[in-house]
Amino acid sequence: MLLGALALGTRAWAGPADQAPALLLAQPWQPGTDLTDWWVSEKYDGVRGFWDGRTLRTRGGERIAAPPWFTAGWPATPLDGELWAGRGGFEQVQSTVARQSPDDAAWRRLRYMVFDLPAHPGTFDQRLPALRATVAAMDQPWVQAVPQRRVASQAQLQALLRQVVAGGGEGLMLHRGSSHYRAGRGDDLRKLKTHDDAEARVIAHLPGRGRHAGRLGALWVETPDGRRFALGAGFSDAERADPPPVGSWVTYRYRGLHAGSGLPRFASFLRVRADEARFRR
């Protein structure tokens, strides 16, 4: 619940400092869905950045210490986008955003890829031209509107996915054209990748055995829907020696779900969620 949030229309976008903004979140793409009403774009592997009209924030609500020039002249209207350092540049953007004192040279290597206008009252079809006009009026090379396209068939969608992944991209995003901006996870924003991933909160550290004695064996984690499991694969030796703290959120990869329990199959640690990184410094 966002107490004291700034209300725009019937929706709340940003609350007090360090409160998470109410963002539209993606669900996995469902194979076979009719593509007629969907826009497709690349899924950028960066850090979600929400501009509330005054301040740039992470998905978790943390203020991002961007250099003053980076956001100078930005509009009073909210923007939703991704801070991105190019394909394969996640570690670079995460370390840049995590700094309390901005590194000017590092920020000059980032782009802000804008993909939505949360306060616009129209459908995504209607928001797109407004978004492009807003970004064009900003006239800053490091701020770009995310390219959106239509695809005609499932075969074309899969071909585009293979092309993006082969080029080092993470996957695709699909946005329903007739949808309004609604906070939370719904059916209007979908992600399509060659592997599944999800997030879970760390609730305990399980000790290691054998080669890992004296350091982390696994994280005991809890999913947003309350399911708990041990996440023991995917850690480097350095991460086992200094594991993500209890209470932090982590991202993991997996290959489908077990039919009975609904728990992820072959889950493997990927990283601490991007907007949690600064707490580890």
Side-chain angles (χ1 to χ4, degrees):
M1 182 177 182
L2 298 176
L3 301 177
L6 172 64
L8 296 169
T10 59
R11 299 175 293 276
W13 305 119
D18 299 340
Q19 291 249 356
L23 300 180
L24 174 63
L25 303 175
Q27 297 267 40
W29 175 252
Q30 298 298 317
T33 302
D34 185 358
L35 287 162
T36 304
D37 192 30
W38 294 85
W39 291 92
V40 183
S41 63
E42 180 172 344
K43 185 181 189 302
Y44 298 109
D45 192 16
V47 172
R48 185 83 170 261
F50 174 75
W51 173 252
D52 64 10
R54 302 178 304 276
T55 305
L56 190 60
R57 300 177 183 270
T58 68
R59 171 179 158 183
E62 283 285 305
R63 291 179 181 271
I64 297 174
W69 60 263
F70 194 86
T71 59
W74 284 18
T77 185
L79 305 173
D80 196 0
E82 194 88 358
L83 290 162
W84 193 52
R87 291 175 175 174
F90 176 80
E91 297 297 334
Q92 178 182 330
V93 67
Q94 179 172 255
S95 64
T96 300
V97 171
R99 292 177 179 272
Q100 298 288 358
S101 298
D103 180 332
D104 200 69
W107 274 92
R108 292 193 184 280
R109 293 191 288 270
L110 301 191
R111 282 168 276 173
Y112 184 51
M113 307 299 295
V114 186
F115 49 70
D116 217 331
L117 295 178
H120 191 288
T123 64
F124 189 63
D125 287 337
Q126 296 165 335
R127 297 198 301 276
L128 267 182
L131 183 158
R132 291 165 180 154
T134 298
V135 172
M138 295 167 72
D139 192 25
Q140 295 174 340
W142 57 91
V143 181
Q144 299 176 20
V146 170
Q148 302 280 347
R149 61 180 291 181
R150 302 279 195 177
V151 295
S153 66
Q154 297 290 336
Q156 191 177 90
L157 179 66
Q158 291 298 323
L160 180 59
L161 175 64
R162 291 192 295 271
Q163 176 185 335
V164 167
V165 172
E170 188 184 16
L172 302 176
M173 298 296 296
L174 295 99
H175 204 142
R176 194 190 304 272
S178 59
S179 66
H180 292 83
Y181 195 104
R182 300 182 181 90
R185 294 192 189 277
D187 295 329
D188 298 328
L189 185 65
R190 300 283 181 159
K191 55 186 177 182
L192 176 61
K193 301 194 290 185
T194 54
H195 62 269
D196 297 314
D197 64 43
E199 295 173 344
R201 184 172 59 89
V202 179
I203 55 177
H205 294 159
L206 304 181
R209 299 178 180 177
R211 189 171 72 85
H212 299 311
R215 53 185 181 171
L216 179 74
L219 298 177
W220 187 242
V221 299
E222 182 177 67
T223 66
D225 63 359
R227 299 176 188 270
R228 296 185 174 188
F229 65 95
L231 180 61
F235 298 98
S236 67
D237 288 343
E239 288 163 341
R240 290 189 184 278
D242 181 24
V246 171
S248 64
W249 286 81
V250 298
T251 302
Y252 61 91
R253 290 181 174 177
Y254 65 101
R255 302 178 190 171
L257 302 173
H258 289 286
S261 64
L263 294 176
R265 300 173 64 248
F266 307 109
S268 177
F269 173 79
L270 183 59
R271 58 190 174 221
V272 176
R273 200 174 78 182
D275 57 6
E276 295 273 359
R278 67 177 60 206
F279 297 112
R280 293 178 54 74
R281 289 179 175 269

mmCIF file with all atom_site columns, all heavy atoms in Angstrom, residues 111-127:
data_model
loop_
_atom_site.group_PDB
_atom_site.id
_atom_site.type_symbol
_atom_site.label_atom_id
_atom_site.label_alt_id
_atom_site.label_comp_id
_atom_site.label_asym_id
_atom_site.label_entity_id
_atom_site.label_seq_id
_atom_site.pdbx_PDB_ins_code
_atom_site.Cartn_x
_atom_site.Cartn_y
_atom_site.Cartn_z
_atom_site.occupancy
_atom_site.B_iso_or_equiv
_atom_site.pdbx_formal_charge
_atom_site.auth_seq_id
_atom_site.auth_comp_id
_atom_site.auth_asym_id
_atom_site.auth_atom_id
_atom_site.pdbx_PDB_model_num
ATOM 1   N N   . ARG A 1 111 ? 21.947 4.615  -21.122 1.00 0.00 ? 111 ARG A N   1
ATOM 2   C CA  . ARG A 1 111 ? 20.800 5.200  -21.797 1.00 0.00 ? 111 ARG A CA  1
ATOM 3   C C   . ARG A 1 111 ? 19.557 4.946  -20.957 1.00 0.00 ? 111 ARG A C   1
ATOM 4   O O   . ARG A 1 111 ? 19.480 3.939  -20.241 1.00 0.00 ? 111 ARG A O   1
ATOM 5   C CB  . ARG A 1 111 ? 20.613 4.564  -23.175 1.00 0.00 ? 111 ARG A CB  1
ATOM 6   C CG  . ARG A 1 111 ? 21.559 5.081  -24.236 1.00 0.00 ? 111 ARG A CG  1
ATOM 7   C CD  . ARG A 1 111 ? 21.522 4.233  -25.482 1.00 0.00 ? 111 ARG A CD  1
ATOM 8   N NE  . ARG A 1 111 ? 22.406 3.069  -25.377 1.00 0.00 ? 111 ARG A NE  1
ATOM 9   C CZ  . ARG A 1 111 ? 22.462 2.101  -26.272 1.00 0.00 ? 111 ARG A CZ  1
ATOM 10  N NH1 . ARG A 1 111 ? 21.665 2.129  -27.322 1.00 0.00 ? 111 ARG A NH1 1
ATOM 11  N NH2 . ARG A 1 111 ? 23.303 1.099  -26.125 1.00 0.00 ? 111 ARG A NH2 1
ATOM 12  N N   . TYR A 1 112 ? 18.612 5.857  -21.058 1.00 0.00 ? 112 TYR A N   1
ATOM 13  C CA  . TYR A 1 112 ? 17.310 5.657  -20.408 1.00 0.00 ? 112 TYR A CA  1
ATOM 14  C C   . TYR A 1 112 ? 16.318 5.315  -21.506 1.00 0.00 ? 112 TYR A C   1
ATOM 15  O O   . TYR A 1 112 ? 15.958 6.156  -22.320 1.00 0.00 ? 112 TYR A O   1
ATOM 16  C CB  . TYR A 1 112 ? 16.887 6.913  -19.650 1.00 0.00 ? 112 TYR A CB  1
ATOM 17  C CG  . TYR A 1 112 ? 15.590 6.749  -18.879 1.00 0.00 ? 112 TYR A CG  1
ATOM 18  C CD1 . TYR A 1 112 ? 15.392 5.673  -18.014 1.00 0.00 ? 112 TYR A CD1 1
ATOM 19  C CD2 . TYR A 1 112 ? 14.570 7.685  -19.003 1.00 0.00 ? 112 TYR A CD2 1
ATOM 20  C CE1 . TYR A 1 112 ? 14.217 5.533  -17.310 1.00 0.00 ? 112 TYR A CE1 1
ATOM 21  C CE2 . TYR A 1 112 ? 13.389 7.556  -18.286 1.00 0.00 ? 112 TYR A CE2 1
ATOM 22  C CZ  . TYR A 1 112 ? 13.213 6.476  -17.441 1.00 0.00 ? 112 TYR A CZ  1
ATOM 23  O OH  . TYR A 1 112 ? 12.027 6.332  -16.734 1.00 0.00 ? 112 TYR A OH  1
ATOM 24  N N   . MET A 1 113 ? 15.906 4.047  -21.549 1.00 0.00 ? 113 MET A N   1
ATOM 25  C CA  . MET A 1 113 ? 15.017 3.543  -22.583 1.00 0.00 ? 113 MET A CA  1
ATOM 26  C C   . MET A 1 113 ? 13.585 3.638  -22.061 1.00 0.00 ? 113 MET A C   1
ATOM 27  O O   . MET A 1 113 ? 13.166 2.859  -21.197 1.00 0.00 ? 113 MET A O   1
ATOM 28  C CB  . MET A 1 113 ? 15.380 2.104  -22.935 1.00 0.00 ? 113 MET A CB  1
ATOM 29  C CG  . MET A 1 113 ? 16.857 1.890  -23.294 1.00 0.00 ? 113 MET A CG  1
ATOM 30  S SD  . MET A 1 113 ? 17.387 2.828  -24.744 1.00 0.00 ? 113 MET A SD  1
ATOM 31  C CE  . MET A 1 113 ? 16.394 2.065  -26.033 1.00 0.00 ? 113 MET A CE  1
ATOM 32  N N   . VAL A 1 114 ? 12.826 4.588  -22.586 1.00 0.00 ? 114 VAL A N   1
ATOM 33  C CA  . VAL A 1 114 ? 11.475 4.862  -22.088 1.00 0.00 ? 114 VAL A CA  1
ATOM 34  C C   . VAL A 1 114 ? 10.472 3.967  -22.814 1.00 0.00 ? 114 VAL A C   1
ATOM 35  O O   . VAL A 1 114 ? 10.415 3.960  -24.049 1.00 0.00 ? 114 VAL A O   1
ATOM 36  C CB  . VAL A 1 114 ? 11.107 6.343  -22.284 1.00 0.00 ? 114 VAL A CB  1
ATOM 37  C CG1 . VAL A 1 114 ? 9.759  6.647  -21.638 1.00 0.00 ? 114 VAL A CG1 1
ATOM 38  C CG2 . VAL A 1 114 ? 12.198 7.244  -21.703 1.00 0.00 ? 114 VAL A CG2 1
ATOM 39  N N   . PHE A 1 115 ? 9.678  3.215  -22.041 1.00 0.00 ? 115 PHE A N   1
ATOM 40  C CA  . PHE A 1 115 ? 8.705  2.346  -22.677 1.00 0.00 ? 115 PHE A CA  1
ATOM 41  C C   . PHE A 1 115 ? 7.258  2.633  -22.310 1.00 0.00 ? 115 PHE A C   1
ATOM 42  O O   . PHE A 1 115 ? 6.349  2.007  -22.847 1.00 0.00 ? 115 PHE A O   1
ATOM 43  C CB  . PHE A 1 115 ? 9.019  0.859  -22.430 1.00 0.00 ? 115 PHE A CB  1
ATOM 44  C CG  . PHE A 1 115 ? 9.298  0.480  -21.005 1.00 0.00 ? 115 PHE A CG  1
ATOM 45  C CD1 . PHE A 1 115 ? 8.314  0.483  -20.040 1.00 0.00 ? 115 PHE A CD1 1
ATOM 46  C CD2 . PHE A 1 115 ? 10.582 0.097  -20.629 1.00 0.00 ? 115 PHE A CD2 1
ATOM 47  C CE1 . PHE A 1 115 ? 8.583  0.111  -18.735 1.00 0.00 ? 115 PHE A CE1 1
ATOM 48  C CE2 . PHE A 1 115 ? 10.869 -0.279 -19.327 1.00 0.00 ? 115 PHE A CE2 1
ATOM 49  C CZ  . PHE A 1 115 ? 9.849  -0.272 -18.371 1.00 0.00 ? 115 PHE A CZ  1
ATOM 50  N N   . ASP A 1 116 ? 6.997  3.597  -21.412 1.00 0.00 ? 116 ASP A N   1
ATOM 51  C CA  . ASP A 1 116 ? 5.599  3.893  -21.096 1.00 0.00 ? 116 ASP A CA  1
ATOM 52  C C   . ASP A 1 116 ? 5.460  5.248  -20.420 1.00 0.00 ? 116 ASP A C   1
ATOM 53  O O   . ASP A 1 116 ? 6.420  5.804  -19.872 1.00 0.00 ? 116 ASP A O   1
ATOM 54  C CB  . ASP A 1 116 ? 5.001  2.805  -20.201 1.00 0.00 ? 116 ASP A CB  1
ATOM 55  C CG  . ASP A 1 116 ? 3.541  2.514  -20.538 1.00 0.00 ? 116 ASP A CG  1
ATOM 56  O OD1 . ASP A 1 116 ? 2.844  3.439  -21.018 1.00 0.00 ? 116 ASP A OD1 1
ATOM 57  O OD2 . ASP A 1 116 ? 3.090  1.371  -20.326 1.00 0.00 ? 116 ASP A OD2 1
ATOM 58  N N   . LEU A 1 117 ? 4.218  5.762  -20.472 1.00 0.00 ? 117 LEU A N   1
ATOM 59  C CA  . LEU A 1 117 ? 3.820  6.999  -19.795 1.00 0.00 ? 117 LEU A CA  1
ATOM 60  C C   . LEU A 1 117 ? 2.730  6.635  -18.786 1.00 0.00 ? 117 LEU A C   1
ATOM 61  O O   . LEU A 1 117 ? 1.541  6.599  -19.139 1.00 0.00 ? 117 LEU A O   1
ATOM 62  C CB  . LEU A 1 117 ? 3.281  8.022  -20.800 1.00 0.00 ? 117 LEU A CB  1
ATOM 63  C CG  . LEU A 1 117 ? 4.238  8.582  -21.839 1.00 0.00 ? 117 LEU A CG  1
ATOM 64  C CD1 . LEU A 1 117 ? 3.496  9.548  -22.764 1.00 0.00 ? 117 LEU A CD1 1
ATOM 65  C CD2 . LEU A 1 117 ? 5.413  9.293  -21.169 1.00 0.00 ? 117 LEU A CD2 1
ATOM 66  N N   . PRO A 1 118 ? 3.094  6.344  -17.540 1.00 0.00 ? 118 PRO A N   1
ATOM 67  C CA  . PRO A 1 118 ? 2.116  5.820  -16.571 1.00 0.00 ? 118 PRO A CA  1
ATOM 68  C C   . PRO A 1 118 ? 0.904  6.706  -16.313 1.00 0.00 ? 118 PRO A C   1
ATOM 69  O O   . PRO A 1 118 ? -0.176 6.192  -16.029 1.00 0.00 ? 118 PRO A O   1
ATOM 70  C CB  . PRO A 1 118 ? 2.957  5.656  -15.300 1.00 0.00 ? 118 PRO A CB  1
ATOM 71  C CG  . PRO A 1 118 ? 4.349  5.498  -15.784 1.00 0.00 ? 118 PRO A CG  1
ATOM 72  C CD  . PRO A 1 118 ? 4.455  6.369  -16.981 1.00 0.00 ? 118 PRO A CD  1
ATOM 73  N N   . ALA A 1 119 ? 1.048  8.034  -16.386 1.00 0.00 ? 119 ALA A N   1
ATOM 74  C CA  . ALA A 1 119 ? -0.065 8.923  -16.050 1.00 0.00 ? 119 ALA A CA  1
ATOM 75  C C   . ALA A 1 119 ? -0.976 9.227  -17.233 1.00 0.00 ? 119 ALA A C   1
ATOM 76  O O   . ALA A 1 119 ? -2.022 9.847  -17.060 1.00 0.00 ? 119 ALA A O   1
ATOM 77  C CB  . ALA A 1 119 ? 0.474  10.233 -15.463 1.00 0.00 ? 119 ALA A CB  1
ATOM 78  N N   . HIS A 1 120 ? -0.590 8.800  -18.431 1.00 0.00 ? 120 HIS A N   1
ATOM 79  C CA  . HIS A 1 120 ? -1.417 9.058  -19.615 1.00 0.00 ? 120 HIS A CA  1
ATOM 80  C C   . HIS A 1 120 ? -2.710 8.254  -19.505 1.00 0.00 ? 120 HIS A C   1
ATOM 81  O O   . HIS A 1 120 ? -2.674 7.054  -19.216 1.00 0.00 ? 120 HIS A O   1
ATOM 82  C CB  . HIS A 1 120 ? -0.641 8.678  -20.872 1.00 0.00 ? 120 HIS A CB  1
ATOM 83  C CG  . HIS A 1 120 ? -1.272 9.132  -22.145 1.00 0.00 ? 120 HIS A CG  1
ATOM 84  N ND1 . HIS A 1 120 ? -2.414 8.561  -22.662 1.00 0.00 ? 120 HIS A ND1 1
ATOM 85  C CD2 . HIS A 1 120 ? -0.910 10.110 -23.027 1.00 0.00 ? 120 HIS A CD2 1
ATOM 86  C CE1 . HIS A 1 120 ? -2.724 9.157  -23.800 1.00 0.00 ? 120 HIS A CE1 1
ATOM 87  N NE2 . HIS A 1 120 ? -1.826 10.101 -24.033 1.00 0.00 ? 120 HIS A NE2 1
ATOM 88  N N   . PRO A 1 121 ? -3.866 8.861  -19.747 1.00 0.00 ? 121 PRO A N   1
ATOM 89  C CA  . PRO A 1 121 ? -5.137 8.141  -19.536 1.00 0.00 ? 121 PRO A CA  1
ATOM 90  C C   . PRO A 1 121 ? -5.529 7.185  -20.651 1.00 0.00 ? 121 PRO A C   1
ATOM 91  O O   . PRO A 1 121 ? -6.477 6.410  -20.509 1.00 0.00 ? 121 PRO A O   1
ATOM 92  C CB  . PRO A 1 121 ? -6.160 9.290  -19.436 1.00 0.00 ? 121 PRO A CB  1
ATOM 93  C CG  . PRO A 1 121 ? -5.576 10.378 -20.302 1.00 0.00 ? 121 PRO A CG  1
ATOM 94  C CD  . PRO A 1 121 ? -4.087 10.281 -20.098 1.00 0.00 ? 121 PRO A CD  1
ATOM 95  N N   . GLY A 1 122 ? -4.810 7.200  -21.760 1.00 0.00 ? 122 GLY A N   1
ATOM 96  C CA  . GLY A 1 122 ? -5.209 6.402  -22.907 1.00 0.00 ? 122 GLY A CA  1
ATOM 97  C C   . GLY A 1 122 ? -4.704 4.975  -22.888 1.00 0.00 ? 122 GLY A C   1
ATOM 98  O O   . GLY A 1 122 ? -4.005 4.532  -21.975 1.00 0.00 ? 122 GLY A O   1
ATOM 99  N N   . THR A 1 123 ? -5.062 4.239  -23.931 1.00 0.00 ? 123 THR A N   1
ATOM 100 C CA  . THR A 1 123 ? -4.571 2.879  -24.119 1.00 0.00 ? 123 THR A CA  1
ATOM 101 C C   . THR A 1 123 ? -3.108 2.926  -24.540 1.00 0.00 ? 123 THR A C   1
ATOM 102 O O   . THR A 1 123 ? -2.575 3.998  -24.868 1.00 0.00 ? 123 THR A O   1
ATOM 103 C CB  . THR A 1 123 ? -5.381 2.158  -25.197 1.00 0.00 ? 123 THR A CB  1
ATOM 104 O OG1 . THR A 1 123 ? -5.171 2.829  -26.448 1.00 0.00 ? 123 THR A OG1 1
ATOM 105 C CG2 . THR A 1 123 ? -6.878 2.149  -24.855 1.00 0.00 ? 123 THR A CG2 1
ATOM 106 N N   . PHE A 1 124 ? -2.461 1.771  -24.580 1.00 0.00 ? 124 PHE A N   1
ATOM 107 C CA  . PHE A 1 124 ? -1.062 1.748  -25.009 1.00 0.00 ? 124 PHE A CA  1
ATOM 108 C C   . PHE A 1 124 ? -0.949 2.216  -26.465 1.00 0.00 ? 124 PHE A C   1
ATOM 109 O O   . PHE A 1 124 ? 0.020  2.902  -26.818 1.00 0.00 ? 124 PHE A O   1
ATOM 110 C CB  . PHE A 1 124 ? -0.476 0.353  -24.844 1.00 0.00 ? 124 PHE A CB  1
ATOM 111 C CG  . PHE A 1 124 ? 1.010  0.293  -25.054 1.00 0.00 ? 124 PHE A CG  1
ATOM 112 C CD1 . PHE A 1 124 ? 1.868  0.986  -24.217 1.00 0.00 ? 124 PHE A CD1 1
ATOM 113 C CD2 . PHE A 1 124 ? 1.568  -0.452 -26.081 1.00 0.00 ? 124 PHE A CD2 1
ATOM 114 C CE1 . PHE A 1 124 ? 3.250  0.953  -24.398 1.00 0.00 ? 124 PHE A CE1 1
ATOM 115 C CE2 . PHE A 1 124 ? 2.941  -0.507 -26.277 1.00 0.00 ? 124 PHE A CE2 1
ATOM 116 C CZ  . PHE A 1 124 ? 3.778  0.203  -25.431 1.00 0.00 ? 124 PHE A CZ  1
ATOM 117 N N   . ASP A 1 125 ? -1.922 1.871  -27.303 1.00 0.00 ? 125 ASP A N   1
ATOM 118 C CA  . ASP A 1 125 ? -1.926 2.376  -28.677 1.00 0.00 ? 125 ASP A CA  1
ATOM 119 C C   . ASP A 1 125 ? -1.898 3.898  -28.687 1.00 0.00 ? 125 ASP A C   1
ATOM 120 O O   . ASP A 1 125 ? -1.238 4.511  -29.541 1.00 0.00 ? 125 ASP A O   1
ATOM 121 C CB  . ASP A 1 125 ? -3.183 1.894  -29.409 1.00 0.00 ? 125 ASP A CB  1
ATOM 122 C CG  . ASP A 1 125 ? -3.140 0.414  -29.772 1.00 0.00 ? 125 ASP A CG  1
ATOM 123 O OD1 . ASP A 1 125 ? -2.025 -0.143 -29.865 1.00 0.00 ? 125 ASP A OD1 1
ATOM 124 O OD2 . ASP A 1 125 ? -4.211 -0.175 -29.956 1.00 0.00 ? 125 ASP A OD2 1
ATOM 125 N N   . GLN A 1 126 ? -2.606 4.513  -27.759 1.00 0.00 ? 126 GLN A N   1
ATOM 126 C CA  . GLN A 1 126 ? -2.670 5.974  -27.682 1.00 0.00 ? 126 GLN A CA  1
ATOM 127 C C   . GLN A 1 126 ? -1.459 6.558  -26.954 1.00 0.00 ? 126 GLN A C   1
ATOM 128 O O   . GLN A 1 126 ? -1.045 7.692  -27.238 1.00 0.00 ? 126 GLN A O   1
ATOM 129 C CB  . GLN A 1 126 ? -3.960 6.396  -26.987 1.00 0.00 ? 126 GLN A CB  1
ATOM 130 C CG  . GLN A 1 126 ? -5.216 6.012  -27.760 1.00 0.00 ? 126 GLN A CG  1
ATOM 131 C CD  . GLN A 1 126 ? -6.472 6.100  -26.917 1.00 0.00 ? 126 GLN A CD  1
ATOM 132 O OE1 . GLN A 1 126 ? -6.435 6.001  -25.680 1.00 0.00 ? 126 GLN A OE1 1
ATOM 133 N NE2 . GLN A 1 126 ? -7.609 6.292  -27.575 1.00 0.00 ? 126 GLN A NE2 1
ATOM 134 N N   . ARG A 1 127 ? -0.899 5.805  -26.019 1.00 0.00 ? 127 ARG A N   1
ATOM 135 C CA  . ARG A 1 127 ? 0.252  6.310  -25.272 1.00 0.00 ? 127 ARG A CA  1
ATOM 136 C C   . ARG A 1 127 ? 1.518  6.344  -26.122 1.00 0.00 ? 127 ARG A C   1
ATOM 137 O O   . ARG A 1 127 ? 2.402  7.174  -25.898 1.00 0.00 ? 127 ARG A O   1
ATOM 138 C CB  . ARG A 1 127 ? 0.501  5.447  -24.015 1.00 0.00 ? 127 ARG A CB  1
ATOM 139 C CG  . ARG A 1 127 ? -0.651 5.483  -23.023 1.00 0.00 ? 127 ARG A CG  1
ATOM 140 C CD  . ARG A 1 127 ? -0.254 5.008  -21.635 1.00 0.00 ? 127 ARG A CD  1
ATOM 141 N NE  . ARG A 1 127 ? 0.274  3.671  -21.526 1.00 0.00 ? 127 ARG A NE  1
ATOM 142 C CZ  . ARG A 1 127 ? -0.452 2.564  -21.417 1.00 0.00 ? 127 ARG A CZ  1
ATOM 143 N NH1 . ARG A 1 127 ? -1.783 2.625  -21.456 1.00 0.00 ? 127 ARG A NH1 1
ATOM 144 N NH2 . ARG A 1 127 ? 0.126  1.386  -21.269 1.00 0.00 ? 127 ARG A NH2 1
#
